[in-house]
Amino acid sequence: MNGIDKLKNYPHKHLLGIEGLLPNSLNFLLDLSQKYVKFLEKNSKKLDYLKNKTCINLFFENSTRTRTSFELAGKKLGADMLNISVGTSSIKKGETLIDTAMTLNAMQPDLIVVRHNDAGAVKLLSEKVNCGVINAGDGPHEHPTQALLDALTILSRKKTIAGLKVAICGDIMHSRVARSNIHLLNTLGAEVRVIGPATLIPKEIDSLGVKVFYNMKDGLKDIDIIIMLRLQLERMSGSFVPSIREYFRFYGLDREKLNYAKPDALILHPGPMNRGVEIDTELADDLDRSAIFDQVRMGVAVRMACLKALVKK
Ligand code: CP
């Protein structure tokens, strides 16, 4: 990838969200990710594209998949990866987000990956630093690399996104994964539905170009891809579902509900999963129907592509 290709296809300093990205940019990142999938299948060695570059992982919220895969991705490309643990940083002494950003900026990193519990916090931080910033999830707003790895997983199994019918099911209200996926899938030509109880579907969701369903039977009809979402209890104030048992009965994906979709419908889940809440445990482990661990594998390749595209040579 030369500098001209990069500027033409991904003419952005940061990756703060999927909203507003053109098909060209999405396809550029997905094509590069596919190259890294192939590379990772064949090689255990490291590349040196990002040799002498320093990337910082700054996570204000817990993470297993995203933080680890950014670290692994950076190391595969030869970068020095630093992890800042918010629990042992000066944020605990009252340092603000902006002061933290300006402090890190003074150390001249080449890229910062940020997860924060507030929507918009990553954009605010990006305005205070000189290097590129990747949003690793900001509150209920966006999680762009998750949508990219979901798209890469779909491409690996279905070879296309255009024309597919995709259902995103569960807690749409509190889900940044839902928002980023809606933007990406619509931009690349899929038909997107959301399914869930009325209490967990925001009123304005149809302005994002999705069809809304309140029951799994109607919503899953003719569906190619089912993206199950966790109940984001940590973002809920008050009661959104009568009980977990009732939620699973009506909205938890099991064999019976899966039969409403196409016979070859593929199940995705961004993780972490709550088995027996939004998905039946045996179905989650059925590797013919569920691509949940493929998604994790694709995450490393997607994050390699994003780091490569954003770190300045
Ligand atoms: N899907 C996802 O963001 O998982 P983590 O919270 O473990 O990073």
Side-chain angles (χ1 to χ4, degrees), residues 11 14 20 24 55 81 116 172-173 181 188 192 224 289 292 305:
H14 309 297
N24 209 27
C55 303
M81 298 299 295
H116 199 281
I172 309 296
M173 172 93 75
N181 264 309
L188 295 188
V192 186
D224 299 285
R289 305 309 304 272
I292 295 169

Side-chain angles (χ1 to χ4, degrees), residues 137-196:
D138 63 328
H141 176 228
E142 280 234 34
H143 191 351
T145 56
Q146 179 70 46
L148 285 163
L149 75 87
D150 291 345
L152 193 65
T153 307
I154 295 170
L155 283 170
S156 76
R157 297 280 191 114
K158 302 282 182 189
K159 309 299 171 210
T160 181
I161 288 178
L164 291 181
K165 290 184 169 62
V166 183
I168 307 176
C169 312
D171 183 0
I172 309 296
M173 172 93 75
H174 302 100
S175 176
R176 53 195 176 211
V177 174
R179 270 167 199 73
S180 290
N181 264 309
I182 290 168
H183 292 306
L184 186 149
L185 293 164
N186 274 335
T187 304
L188 295 188
E191 177 189 314
V192 186
R193 301 179 191 170
V194 296
I195 312 173

Side-chain angles (χ1 to χ4, degrees), residues 4 12 23 66 69 74-75 79 94 105 133 145 150 167 190-191 200 213 252 263 272 296 303 305 308 311:
I4 294 167
H12 309 283
T66 313
S69 59
K75 286 179 173 169
N105 191 52
V133 171
T145 56
D150 291 345
E191 177 189 314
L200 291 175
F213 291 83
V296 177
R303 282 151 188 149
K308 177 81 178 4
V311 174

Side-chain angles (χ1 to χ4, degrees), residues 59 62-67 115 136 143 146 176-177 270-272 303:
F59 277 58
N62 293 344
S63 167
T64 298
R65 282 148 281 266
T66 313
R67 198 199 58 73
R115 171 172 286 188
H143 191 351
Q146 179 70 46
R176 53 195 176 211
V177 174
R303 282 151 188 149

Side-chain angles (χ1 to χ4, degrees), residues 6 43 69 72 75 141 170 182 231 245 258 288 310-311:
K6 186 162 127 175
N43 290 282
S69 59
L72 202 54
K75 286 179 173 169
H141 176 228
I182 290 168
L231 285 177
R245 219 166 85 166
L258 182 62
D288 288 333
L310 268 79
V311 174

Side-chain angles (χ1 to χ4, degrees), residues 243-261:
S243 72
I244 296 299
R245 219 166 85 166
E246 203 165 24
Y247 181 78
F248 182 73
R249 186 168 152 228
F250 288 104
Y251 295 101
L253 189 66
D254 54 15
R255 293 263 170 215
E256 190 186 332
K257 295 189 195 78
L258 182 62
N259 285 337
Y260 300 141

Side-chain angles (χ1 to χ4, degrees), residues 260-281:
Y260 300 141
K262 280 190 181 163
D264 62 347
L266 187 67
I267 304 164
L268 272 60
H269 191 308
M273 266 188 287
N274 285 319
R275 292 167 182 265
V277 180
E278 70 271 3
I279 188 161
D280 172 66
T281 191

